[in-house]
Amino acid sequence: MNKISELKQAADAHPSVTIQDEFWGRYIRLVQDVVIPYQYEALHDRVPEAEPSRAIANFEIAAGRREGEFHGWVFQDSDVAKWLEAVGYSLSIKRDPDLEAQADAVIDLVGEAQQPDGYLNTYFTIKEPGNRWTNLQDCHEMYCAGHFIEAAVAYYEATGKDKLLQIMRRMVDHIDSVFGPEEGKLKGYDGHQEIELALVKLYRLTGEEKYLKLSSFFINQRGQEPNYLLQEWESRGRITHWSGVPTSSVELKYLQAHLPVREQHEAVGHSVRAVYMYTAMADLAALTGDESLREACARLWDNMTGKQMYITGGIGSTHQGEAFTFDYDLPNDTVYAETCASIGLIFFARRMLELAPDARYADVMERALYNNVLGSMAQDGKHYFYVNPLEVWPQACTCNPDKHHVKSERQGWFGCACCPPNVARLLTSLNQYIYTVHGDTLYTNLYIGSELKTALGGAEVSVSQQSSYPWEGKVTFRVNPAQAGEFGIALRIPSWSQGMEIRVNGEVLKLSEGVEMGYRVIRRVWKAGDMIEVSMPMEAHRVYAHPNLRADAQKTAIQRGPLVYCLEGVDNGTPLSSVTLSEAGGFTEIFDKSMLGGAVVVEGTGFRVNQEGWNGEQLYSREKAPLEAVKVTAVPYYLWGNRGSGEMKVWIPENRG
């Protein structure tokens, strides 16, 4: 067995996990029962209140089933792919003949739209058939292919049906005939990274090394001199797809193509492209043992999460290019924090956990999942945020052009609908993120009720996890090896946790011992019926930002367990800018059954500016308005905006009064 095969075998040692969790089970069922059917109708343009997608219509035109013109974004095909991927994961949880029949029909349509040489992309088939592979910078051909590859793998693993898989293998064969290091092939790479991580999934499924080599080629070629994207731009007369006219330059940082990937030190450019690329880099580092690639991943992770990430797990601070800006530039009211970017961050975190068991990766994964991602979808499953702000003033969103991208209510659909199906595919595949295995040790990354089966220490082992997350920090594990054997079970010590207690069969373990990279590793001879009990006190507490983070200076945020909290106008009145928290005040925690399915609400003491004490209608005055004591009510961030349009803020000024 060669080195790559050995590394592949180790990387593929994923446990089988079924989620059985009260909190997440509700959202997974919501995706299955509401989101996937709703998105199917939206893709078919049958949701009156939603902006038309035309994605299925494009495939029907490309397949010759109907006449018409291409509509939508150049990457519109990817919405269909992500829906199919979510269907695949859903069917792996519960087979549904009607849903499967719908997906099979869509796959038949996709197959009919494929060209004789294997090429698949409705934009170029319908609108620009002679311009394939001439604008990699803008036109997302391999991005769309990557999403269909991911869908094909998920659908095959769930159903055993390989039609979509064969369609995409033909497409990849076509891509491989066009791109590569060989003489006569293009030395390019896609402007929007995605295919790189998808090719790794295809390699893991099939074992065909040509897929791994092609992924490595795209990653290794990026940013090399002479820069392919610059050459391509020059050959097009410097014309971009978006403007249709010559432009003065190409922003290579926006495309993460300014340097070879191993020389990049800071997260720059379009945030979704960045984390998709970092995910593939981590995949390749794990599979090939490339230490320089692993080191680059670690550097980029540290910069992104240590200096450019919101407390909610959001990334990408500006709407100009949906991009990173610079260290500590994290404005709350003009933020972007696209849902897809946090989902990509979760992808990256999982791959870093597969490279090395380090709890800080799981901490970020948990933060992004419970806050930014979960908060992007309404409780009805039919409305979504594309942008996830930390402060909202509805009138400013409507009247201030710099804040038009920020919404105070979730939308029914988007013309650029990348986020809703991305949420669906993440939640239906959430079982893949709970655990990782390294050697003979099982690492618990997320505390989500589930049933696991895997091999540890040469024996088959099942582990049942019961969790009261996110409202209580009580978790139990029942360990059942097929026969008694020695192996390790590692429990993440959350960064927010203080006073975590672990008992094995009733005996308290010392947290001062056996802690490795943020996990408490329990190594012993396990027998059937062994019980682990975990208690993580969840107290509402204040969080403060680095002094260089100017937007949050002299402010605090409230967190309880994995959940970030926020103030809403519906609870605290408006304007929220008049509300401050008492610096010395404590918090009261109440489980409110009426709060959108039930949630812990946090109450504290604070002050409000008494506007009646202001001097008439004067815009300015030499006198401060008086303060009055008030109760301050905070709700989980992921629930905000479900009670109508209104003000919201996460970071709250403190008052010493």
Side-chain angles (χ1 to χ4, degrees):
M1 185 181 291
N2 62 35
K3 181 65 173 176
I4 287 180
S5 297
E6 290 175 357
L7 289 163
K8 174 184 183 299
Q9 187 179 67
D12 285 347
H14 295 302
S16 170
V17 181
T18 302
I19 289 179
Q20 297 176 354
D21 185 88
E22 182 178 350
F23 183 82
W24 286 109
R26 174 189 167 205
Y27 288 100
I28 292 169
R29 289 190 297 273
L30 183 67
V31 169
Q32 292 178 307
D33 298 340
V34 177
V35 177
I36 288 175
Y38 176 80
Q39 293 181 357
Y40 178 80
E41 295 300 308
L43 291 171
H44 285 81
D45 307 315
R46 296 196 290 252
V47 179
E49 68 273 17
E51 189 174 344
S53 165
R54 308 281 167 78
I56 292 294
N58 289 336
F59 275 98
E60 290 174 337
I61 295 166
R65 292 189 185 183
R66 63 190 284 186
E67 298 293 324
E69 298 181 353
F70 180 91
H71 286 277
W73 296 90
V74 70
F75 46 81
Q76 206 77 355
D77 289 2
S78 63
D79 294 344
V80 176
K82 283 183 278 190
W83 180 82
L84 282 170
E85 186 181 356
V87 169
Y89 294 135
S90 179
L91 293 174
S92 70
I93 298 169
K94 180 183 68 174
R95 294 301 284 265
D96 180 337
D98 293 336
L99 178 60
E100 197 166 331
Q102 286 181 332
D104 288 343
V106 172
I107 291 169
D108 289 343
L109 175 62
V110 171
E112 290 177 36
Q114 187 169 35
Q115 301 303 290
D117 62 355
Y119 183 83
L120 179 65
N121 186 287
T122 68
Y123 174 83
F124 284 96
T125 297
I126 298 169
K127 195 166 185 176
E128 295 189 48
N131 288 328
R132 297 179 185 178
W133 310 123
T134 59
N135 189 345
L136 300 181
Q137 175 187 321
D138 300 326
C139 289
H140 293 62
E141 287 165 276
M142 283 189 272
Y143 169 84
C144 291
H147 277 302
F148 269 108
I149 292 167
E150 290 197 86
V153 171
Y155 200 73
Y156 174 78
E157 290 180 335
T159 67
K161 296 178 179 179
D162 69 348
K163 184 168 186 176
L164 185 57
L165 185 64
Q166 296 307 324
I167 290 169
M168 293 319 299
R169 293 182 78 167
R170 287 184 60 212
M171 175 58 165
V172 174
D173 287 344
H174 169 78
I175 293 171
D176 192 42
S177 73
V178 175
F179 296 91
E182 297 84 3
E183 187 70 28
K185 291 186 178 182
L186 299 180
K187 305 302 184 287
Y189 42 88
D190 203 66
H192 195 311
Q193 303 90 314
E194 216 291 330
I195 195 170
E196 301 88 349
L197 70 90
L199 285 168
V200 171
K201 288 188 175 183
L202 190 58
Y203 163 68
R204 281 180 161 146
L205 177 68
T206 66
E208 292 197 26
E209 290 195 14
K210 68 178 181 180
Y211 302 137
L212 188 68
K213 290 178 180 178
L214 188 57
S215 177
S216 295
F217 168 77
F218 289 136
I219 288 293
N220 293 333
Q221 192 66 17
R222 196 169 204 90
Q224 298 289 346
E225 294 294 339
N227 193 292
Y228 184 88
L229 295 184
L230 280 179
Q231 292 179 318
E232 180 193 70
W233 171 67
E234 292 281 3
S235 70
R236 291 196 310 273
R238 302 189 172 190
I239 294 174
T240 72
H241 170 82
W242 309 111
S243 68
V245 298
T247 54
S248 60
S249 64
V250 174
E251 182 51 65
L252 293 175
K253 280 189 174 182
Y254 173 78
L255 305 163
Q256 294 84 38
H258 57 300
L259 290 169
V261 298
R262 291 168 179 79
E263 298 175 22
Q264 296 186 25
H265 290 76
E266 297 177 340
V268 297
H270 187 272
S271 56
V272 179
R273 299 174 198 232
V275 285
Y276 280 8
M277 182 179 80
Y278 304 158
T279 298
M281 289 166 60
D283 270 335
L284 292 169
L287 287 166
T288 66
D290 188 325
E291 184 63 17
S292 63
L293 209 51
R294 187 203 66 77
E295 290 174 355
C297 287
R299 288 196 308 271
L300 291 163
W301 174 276
D302 288 346
N303 173 259
M304 178 174 57
T305 63
K307 296 180 179 179
Q308 298 198 72
M309 184 183 74
Y310 285 93
I311 191 174
T312 54
I315 53 172
S317 58
T318 175
H319 70 283
Q320 295 289 339
E322 307 174 329
F324 298 103
T325 53
F326 59 93
D327 293 352
Y328 302 112
D329 181 40
L330 295 169
N332 296 311
D333 57 346
T334 60
V335 56
Y336 208 73
E338 182 183 345
T339 303
C340 286
S342 284
I343 290 172
L345 177 60
I346 290 170
F347 295 163
F348 184 28
R350 175 188 166 192
R351 287 0 183 255
M352 293 302 285
L353 286 165
E354 290 169 354
L355 269 172
D358 190 327
R360 63 196 177 114
Y361 304 134
D363 280 337
V364 168
M365 184 163 68
E366 179 183 78
R367 182 176 296 278
L369 177 64
Y370 279 90
N371 297 289
N372 206 82
V373 173
L374 189 57
S376 71
M377 183 174 68
Q379 295 294 290
D380 66 2
K382 296 181 180 180
H383 297 82
Y384 305 87
F385 281 135
Y386 194 103
V387 172
N388 295 278
L390 281 76
E391 184 173 331
V392 169
W393 178 10
Q395 187 175 0
C397 300
T398 302
C399 301
N400 185 337
D402 291 332
K403 297 181 182 179
H404 281 176
H405 60 287
V406 177
K407 307 299 180 186
S408 60
E409 289 185 284
R410 296 167 181 83
Q411 309 298 295
W413 197 251
F414 310 96
C416 176
C418 51
C419 296
N422 233 353
V423 173
R425 71 178 181 136
L426 175 67
L427 295 187
T428 46
S429 62
L430 190 57
N431 61 319
Q432 300 178 15
Y433 296 81
I434 301 173
Y435 298 98
T436 49
V437 175
H438 288 273
D440 66 350
T441 301
L442 176 71
Y443 287 84
T444 306
N445 304 315
L446 297 174
Y447 293 106
I448 295 176
S450 54
E451 296 286 338
L452 167 142
K453 293 182 180 179
T454 192
L456 295 169
E460 292 298 316
V461 179
S462 66
V463 177
S464 173
Q465 179 183 170
Q466 291 184 314
S467 171
S468 56
Y469 248 51
W471 311 122
E472 296 180 4
K474 295 186 181 300
V475 185
T476 60
F477 297 84
R478 187 175 295 276
V479 184
N480 283 302
Q483 63 264 353
E486 182 177 346
F487 51 88
I489 293 181
L491 306 174
R492 177 174 64 94
I493 304 172
S495 58
W496 51 261
S497 172
Q498 292 185 340
M500 183 175 180
E501 182 180 273
I502 301 172
R503 296 174 181 264
V504 176
N505 297 331
E507 181 181 347
V508 177
L509 301 186
K510 292 182 179 179
L511 268 186
S512 59
E513 299 176 359
V515 176
E516 301 173 11
M517 302 302 289
Y519 292 87
R520 176 53 164 97
V521 180
I522 310 169
R523 174 164 296 282
R524 67 195 299 274
V525 175
W526 297 92
K527 302 180 179 64
D530 282 346
M531 183 76 74
I532 305 172
E533 297 171 281
V534 182
S535 177
M536 295 168 277
M538 283 189 178
E539 78 289 346
H541 60 277
R542 299 170 194 238
V543 179
Y544 299 92
H546 191 285
N548 287 344
L549 209 168
R550 288 162 172 77
D552 302 330
Q554 308 302 314
K555 298 177 183 177
T556 189
I558 300 170
Q559 183 170 339
R560 183 182 185 275
L563 299 178
V564 174
Y565 277 66
C566 67
L567 308 188
E568 285 195 273
V570 67
D571 302 309
N572 298 282
T574 58
L576 287 180
S577 58
S578 293
V579 177
T580 58
L581 267 179
S582 171
E583 189 175 277
F587 294 121
T588 301
E589 303 168 16
I590 304 164
F591 188 83
D592 185 349
K593 293 181 180 179
S594 66
M595 174 59 71
L596 301 167
V600 171
V601 173
V602 174
E603 295 180 349
T605 57
F607 303 89
R608 171 185 295 285
V609 172
N610 184 346
Q611 294 196 33
E612 293 181 359
W614 182 253
N615 190 2
E617 294 296 320
Q618 291 189 75
L619 186 58
Y620 304 106
S621 172
R622 295 180 67 165
E623 302 295 328
K624 290 178 66 175
L627 298 178
E628 58 184 3
V630 294
K631 179 179 73 174
V632 177
T633 301
V635 300
Y637 173 82
Y638 81 87
L639 288 173
W640 89 269
N642 279 281
R643 296 177 288 170
S645 175
E647 291 190 33
M648 181 277 293
K649 68 188 309 180
V650 169
W651 289 96
I652 315 156
E654 283 188 316
N655 191 306
R656 294 186 177 182

